[in-house]
């Protein structure tokens, strides 16, 4: 895995751009600690930081074709590159390495922008075509690997992380007001936006072309839901296992030590079990746990490790890991409030001590309907179908507004969200469940002058829900989650946490061929009688056993609620309510105090919103200054009130 960056100016590169490429590449050193390189001509400057995985000796980048007219910087792994090498050699190409990077160059020579159609893997790359004075940017189908860009006329800067782009000349640092509202709603920023105004994510499954005609985009892949497979359940179980094993097999390609994350849940356990079948010697597995029993899965991971004879490593995460928060805020570039980034970083750091590549079970819930919410939404949809929309809104809307949000009540009595969902459309209900809290709370937190006028974060979910070509609502919901939560939360979390320690993480459940197979599996074999991942569980039950398949899902969460009322209380208060806190310039501090008091009193479980505000503060501290190339801790500077009506200047 690597870090890529560059500046391209079709009108002619400046000397400042050439000088900046070293700083931009250095900002990504953590992603590629093994090697670095650059290429500079009169229009382009490319930089690369390399983590060596395949062909350790001959994979230096930037890499070029035979006549040095086409240059590439590449981040990722192409799992079918041996077959591509063989095919391209048959077409007359000569290879100087065993690298997947070189295969992409020759594919581009033969097929141009369609080169992405032949790639099976995770990737983000940039190709500079000198003769045509043309830049091609590409990102993999699911968005496993990141790619950001900023442009100003014909000049474009790009990078694997925003911090590299911020090293380019004249890139402003201003908050995107819509992204701020998105973040406080979802606790992550959906593509193509970033928290920085003018810096964007290249959407998953897209390419971008910069030439004399400007910048334009093309979507080269999308997840489609064709007519369902007609085979029997037994036949589909066998097909599932064959597709799953093939995906795991190709993800084992490596010239360095390889292992796996193991939570003890069905997804990671199935990956480990399949690895144990395919590799020689014990699989190296790694697990994280907590002292709080309600969050600790170590005993389940240990049982799976013993069952398959793995070389197992484990670690307990304690509240003192809060010392990592500032470093994590630097690595994520944007405010990111999925608290499971903490254990993900910890398990990545531990794993990196044992191997260089790890397989994970991420993507199973979104791909195969594993979350509890899918069962709840199925029942709510059945009720909505029986009651006309106008009546539902009149009956359940007022009930949702009047019913208290009392998290201290037993779960069956917490009916506020149920009433609200029943008063909504299918798409609105998905949005409300994906929002971390009631959306109006996010808006109330933002000072009036810092708000995005007329913006509704619901459009993010609604656009994807409407774009999905499936007929059934479950598939539409899965598609919406794959395009948003999976891409912009789960995959971001794993990429940044793992690359912070130079670990490559692979996700076989998100292989696009496997996902295309699953998209054609009938929905009633994904969610049946309230059981998610039905076909998956039935297929792996014979070798995982009921103790793994049937145990309740716990998730990879952190006991923040207890920590904020205990060991982290004083630190959090001192951070959020400091006189010079960054958040004072954009958030309503009275509203934050109200949330804090409600959580301390146990009236409401507000830990996720408190964590979001806490991470927003840490982000402001990290990115207010001009130099963001180093993750070393910095003291909080005097921020002052920097709020403006259409964005906020973060340059110190």
């Amino acid at each position: 895995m690597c870090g890529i960056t560059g500046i391209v100016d079709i009108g002619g590169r400046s000397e400042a751009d050439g000088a900046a490429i070293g700083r931009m590449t250095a900002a990504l050193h953590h992603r590629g600690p093994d090697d670095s390189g650059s290429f500079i001509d009169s229009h382009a400057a490319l930089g690369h930081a390399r983590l060596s995985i395949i062909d350790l000796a001959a994979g230096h980048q930037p890499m070029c074709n035979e006549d040095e007219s086409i240059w590439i910087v590449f981040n990722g792994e192409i799992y079918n590159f041996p077959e591509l090498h063989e095919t391209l050699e048959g077409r007359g190409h000569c290879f100087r390495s065993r690298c997947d990077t070189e295969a992409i160059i020759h594919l581009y020579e033969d097929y141009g922008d369609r080169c992405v159609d032949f790639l099976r893997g995770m990737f983000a790359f940039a190709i500079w075509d000198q003769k045509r004075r043309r830049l091609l940017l590409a990102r993999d189908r699911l968005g496993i690997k990141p790619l950001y860009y900023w442009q100003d006329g014909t000049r474009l800067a790009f990078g694997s992380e925003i911090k590299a782009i911020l090293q380019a000349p004249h890139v402003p640092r201003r908050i995107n007001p819509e992204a701020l509202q998105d973040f406080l709603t979802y606790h992550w920023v959906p593509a193509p936006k970033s928290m920085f105004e003018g810096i964007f994510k290249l959407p998953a499954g897209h390419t971008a072309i910069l030439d004399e005609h400007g910048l334009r985009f093309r979507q080269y892949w999308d997840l489609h839901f064709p007519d369902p497979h007609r085979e029997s359940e037994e036949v589909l179980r066998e097909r599932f296992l064959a597709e799953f094993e093939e995906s795991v097999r190709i993800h084992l390609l490596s010239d360095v030590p390889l292992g796996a994350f193991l939570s003890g849940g069905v997804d990671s356990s199935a990956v480990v079990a399949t690895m144990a079948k395919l590799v020689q010697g014990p699989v190296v597995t790694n697990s994280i746990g907590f002292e709080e029993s309600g969050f600790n899965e170590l005993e389940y991971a240990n049982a799976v490790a013993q069952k398959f004879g793995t070389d197992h490593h484990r670690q307990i995460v304690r509240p003192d890991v809060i010392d990592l928060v500032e470093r994590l805020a630097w690595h994520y570039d944007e405010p990111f409030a999925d608290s499971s980034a903490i254990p993900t970083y910890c398990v990545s750091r531990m794993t990196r001590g044992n191997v260089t590549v790890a397989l994970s079970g991420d993507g199973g819930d979104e791909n195969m309907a594993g979350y509890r919410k899918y069962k709840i939404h199925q029942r709510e949809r059945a009720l909505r179908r029986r009651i006309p929309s106008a009546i539902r809104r009149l009956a359940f809307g007022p009930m949702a507004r009047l019913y208290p949000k009392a998290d201290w009540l037993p779960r069956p009595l917490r009916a506020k969200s149920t009433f609200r969902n029943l008063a909504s459309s299918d798409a609105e209900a998905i949005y409300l469940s994906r929002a971390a809290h009631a959306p109006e709370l996010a808006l109330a937190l933002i000072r009036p002058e810092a708000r995005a006028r007329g913006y509704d974060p619901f459009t993010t979910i609604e656009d994807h829900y409407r774009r999905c070509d499936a007929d059934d609502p479950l598939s539409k919901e899965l598609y919406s989650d794959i395009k948003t939560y999976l891409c912009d939360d789960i995959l971001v979390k794993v990429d940044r946490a793992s690359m912070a320690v130079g670990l490559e993480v692979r996700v076989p459940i998100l292989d696009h061929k496997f996902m295309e197979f699953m998209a054609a599996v009938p929905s009633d074999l994904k969610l049946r009688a309230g059981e998610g991942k039905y076909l998956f569980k039935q297929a792996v039950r014979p070798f995982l056993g009921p103790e793994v398949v049937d145990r309740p899902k716990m998730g990879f969460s952190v006991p923040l609620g207890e920590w904020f009322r205990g060991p982290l209380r004083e630190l959090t208060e001192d951070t959020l309510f400091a006189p010079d806190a960054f958040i004072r310039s954009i958030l309503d501090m009275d509203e934050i105090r109200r949330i804090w008091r409600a959580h301390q009193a146990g009236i409401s479980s507000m830990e996720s919103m408190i964590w979001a505000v806490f991470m927003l503060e840490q982000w402001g501290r990290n990115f207010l200054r001009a130099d963001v190339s180093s993750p070393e801790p910095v003291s909080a500077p005097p921020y002052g009130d920097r709020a403006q009506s259409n964005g906020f200047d973060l340059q110190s």
Side-chain angles (χ1 to χ4, degrees):
M1 208 58 56
C2 306
I4 66 172
T5 192
I7 305 175
V8 173
D9 193 331
I10 302 302
R13 182 187 54 76
S14 71
E15 291 301 322
D17 293 343
I21 199 66
R23 299 193 305 272
M24 296 171 73
T25 306
L28 300 177
H29 175 75
H30 56 283
R31 295 187 71 93
D34 297 331
D35 188 21
S36 65
S38 63
F39 161 81
I40 300 175
D41 70 7
S42 58
H43 293 278
L46 307 178
H48 187 267
R50 186 187 185 205
L51 177 65
S52 302
I53 303 295
I54 300 291
D55 197 350
L56 309 188
H60 180 77
Q61 295 187 45
M63 187 177 289
C64 62
N65 63 345
E66 292 89 340
D67 67 2
E68 299 187 359
S69 65
I70 297 172
W71 290 83
I72 185 172
V73 283
F74 166 70
N75 170 31
E77 297 292 344
I78 306 302
Y79 304 119
N80 64 330
F81 87 86
E83 295 88 346
L84 292 174
H85 271 229
E86 183 177 345
T87 300
L88 289 164
E89 285 175 338
R91 295 174 62 87
H93 290 281
C94 296
F95 282 83
R96 294 169 288 182
S97 72
R98 294 188 301 106
C99 287
D100 45 6
T101 310
E102 193 173 1
I104 301 174
I105 295 175
H106 295 316
L107 282 170
Y108 177 79
E109 289 181 302
D110 284 6
Y111 300 102
D113 301 344
R114 288 184 52 236
C115 63
V116 292
D117 297 337
F118 299 88
L119 304 178
R120 187 173 185 180
M122 54 182 183
F123 55 85
F125 64 81
I127 291 178
W128 173 241
D129 190 330
Q130 283 185 302
K131 291 180 179 178
R132 301 171 66 189
R133 202 181 299 176
R134 184 179 191 271
L135 176 72
L136 170 67
L137 299 177
R139 192 176 180 202
D140 66 66
R141 295 166 178 84
L142 275 303
I144 302 169
K145 292 292 100 185
L147 189 55
Y148 296 84
Y149 68 92
W150 168 86
Q151 66 159 333
D152 179 13
T154 61
R155 182 169 167 267
L156 181 144
F158 66 87
S160 296
E161 297 179 12
I162 293 174
K163 61 179 63 66
I165 296 175
L166 294 178
Q167 295 297 316
H170 312 303
V171 176
R173 301 186 199 181
R174 294 169 63 82
I175 291 180
N176 180 336
E178 291 186 3
L180 176 62
Q181 191 171 338
D182 283 333
F183 168 70
L184 292 172
T185 300
Y186 298 113
H187 293 179
W188 38 268
V189 178
K193 286 172 282 192
S194 83
M195 186 60 84
F196 292 91
E197 195 170 61
I199 298 178
F200 298 94
K201 305 173 177 86
L202 181 65
H206 280 68
T207 58
I209 299 141
L210 177 70
D211 58 18
E212 61 182 2
H213 302 294
L215 182 65
R216 56 193 183 278
F217 302 89
R218 179 177 75 93
Q219 183 173 14
Y220 68 87
W221 184 87
D222 200 2
L223 184 62
H224 297 288
F225 292 81
D227 291 338
H229 298 303
R230 300 299 182 186
E231 296 95 334
S232 67
E233 180 182 327
E234 182 179 2
V235 170
L236 285 177
R237 284 201 302 267
E238 294 301 317
R239 286 190 61 187
F240 174 93
L241 289 175
E243 296 280 351
F244 187 78
E245 182 174 315
E246 169 64 7
S247 180
V248 173
R249 183 190 66 78
I250 65 173
H251 281 71
L252 298 176
L253 188 68
S254 177
D255 290 341
V256 295
L258 182 146
F261 294 158
L262 178 61
S263 69
V266 65
D267 300 337
S268 64
S269 298
V271 170
V272 168
T274 307
M275 291 174 69
K277 177 181 176 181
L278 296 172
V279 303
Q280 294 182 343
V283 177
V284 179
T285 54
N286 305 270
S287 301
I288 285 292
F290 298 92
E291 293 174 328
E292 293 83 358
S293 60
F295 296 82
N296 191 17
E297 294 185 280
L298 281 179
E299 64 175 293
Y300 306 112
N302 291 341
V304 175
Q306 291 176 7
K307 186 181 187 73
F308 296 101
T310 74
D311 176 13
H312 191 54
H313 304 262
R314 50 183 283 174
Q315 185 181 82
I316 294 290
V317 176
R318 295 182 173 87
D320 57 7
V321 298
I322 201 65
D323 294 339
L324 298 173
V325 168
E326 190 169 71
R327 181 172 292 271
L328 286 175
W330 181 86
H331 279 291
Y332 280 88
D333 286 339
E334 303 180 86
F336 185 78
D338 185 337
S339 61
S340 62
I342 292 176
T344 302
Y345 174 84
C346 292
V347 75
S348 296
R349 182 174 58 183
M350 178 181 67
T351 301
R352 186 62 177 91
N354 308 314
V355 297
T356 310
V357 177
L359 272 62
S360 85
D362 287 315
D365 291 311
E366 297 83 4
N367 212 356
M368 298 176 277
Y371 294 125
R372 178 176 174 268
K373 67 166 191 164
Y374 297 131
K375 173 178 68 175
I376 295 172
H377 288 178
Q378 186 181 59
R379 294 171 179 170
E380 290 173 349
R381 281 193 295 267
L383 283 172
R384 282 197 292 268
R385 296 296 181 269
R386 297 190 181 100
I387 307 173
S389 173
I391 296 176
R392 284 191 289 105
R393 291 185 183 274
L394 284 172
F396 296 115
M399 295 171 69
R401 289 189 293 272
L402 294 172
Y403 202 90
K405 185 184 185 300
D407 296 327
W408 48 270
L409 286 172
R411 184 174 293 275
L413 299 180
R414 302 181 204 170
K416 187 177 185 71
S417 61
T418 300
F419 291 146
R420 191 165 190 169
N421 284 358
L422 290 175
S424 305
S425 67
D426 289 350
E428 288 169 334
I430 294 170
Y431 165 61
L432 293 170
S433 69
R434 186 47 67 203
H437 288 276
E440 55 267 23
L441 175 59
L443 191 61
L445 277 174
I446 304 172
R447 288 171 51 166
E449 65 270 25
R451 294 174 184 171
R453 296 181 178 87
Y455 176 65
D456 187 351
F458 170 52
T459 57
T460 296
I461 301 296
E462 184 180 35
D463 289 348
H464 290 296
Y465 188 87
R466 294 184 184 281
R467 190 176 297 119
C468 179
D469 61 6
D471 293 327
D472 70 283
L474 177 62
S475 294
K476 287 180 174 290
E477 183 170 9
L478 295 176
Y479 178 89
S480 299
D481 277 349
I482 288 167
K483 293 292 185 177
T484 56
Y485 176 65
L486 175 67
C487 182
D488 296 321
D489 182 322
I490 301 299
L491 294 178
V492 170
K493 173 187 68 179
V494 175
D495 176 82
R496 301 308 190 279
S498 60
M499 293 312 301
V501 296
L503 176 73
E504 175 177 302
V505 175
R506 300 177 179 178
V507 279
I509 293 178
L510 296 182
D511 172 68
H512 80 276
K513 295 288 187 183
F514 178 73
M515 293 194 70
E516 288 169 350
F517 165 76
M518 285 304 306
V521 169
S523 286
D524 68 347
L525 289 180
K526 297 173 185 174
L527 181 62
R528 172 172 289 188
E531 180 182 1
K533 299 181 184 173
Y534 174 80
L535 181 69
F536 179 28
K537 290 180 178 179
Q538 299 312 309
V540 301
R541 183 180 296 274
F543 57 86
L544 287 186
E547 64 276 9
V548 175
V549 172
D550 295 333
R551 82 172 179 87
K553 181 179 178 61
M554 290 182 66
F556 202 37
S557 54
V558 175
L560 280 178
E562 299 174 38
W563 289 0
F564 280 138
R565 295 187 184 104
L568 298 186
R569 178 172 179 168
E570 183 176 354
L571 172 65
T572 306
E573 286 181 332
D574 291 345
T575 300
L576 298 186
F577 304 115
D580 60 353
F582 161 75
I583 56 173
R584 288 180 176 273
S585 64
I586 54 177
L587 300 186
D588 185 327
M589 297 307 297
D590 290 337
E591 189 69 16
I592 294 172
R593 289 188 184 90
R594 184 191 66 78
I595 290 171
W596 178 253
R597 287 194 293 265
H599 182 78
Q600 294 301 321
I603 298 172
S604 299
S605 297
M606 302 300 293
E607 63 266 22
S608 63
M609 184 59 84
I610 294 169
W611 184 252
V613 175
F614 189 89
M615 293 307 293
L616 182 63
E617 172 65 24
Q618 295 296 330
W619 172 76
R621 295 182 181 211
N622 272 278
F623 288 91
L624 181 70
R625 58 181 182 170
D627 177 17
V628 296
S629 60
S630 170
E632 292 305 313
V634 293
S635 58
Y639 299 106
D641 188 339
R642 298 172 178 269
Q644 299 177 15
S645 61
N646 249 341
F648 315 106
D649 188 357
L650 298 187
Q651 199 82 29
S652 60

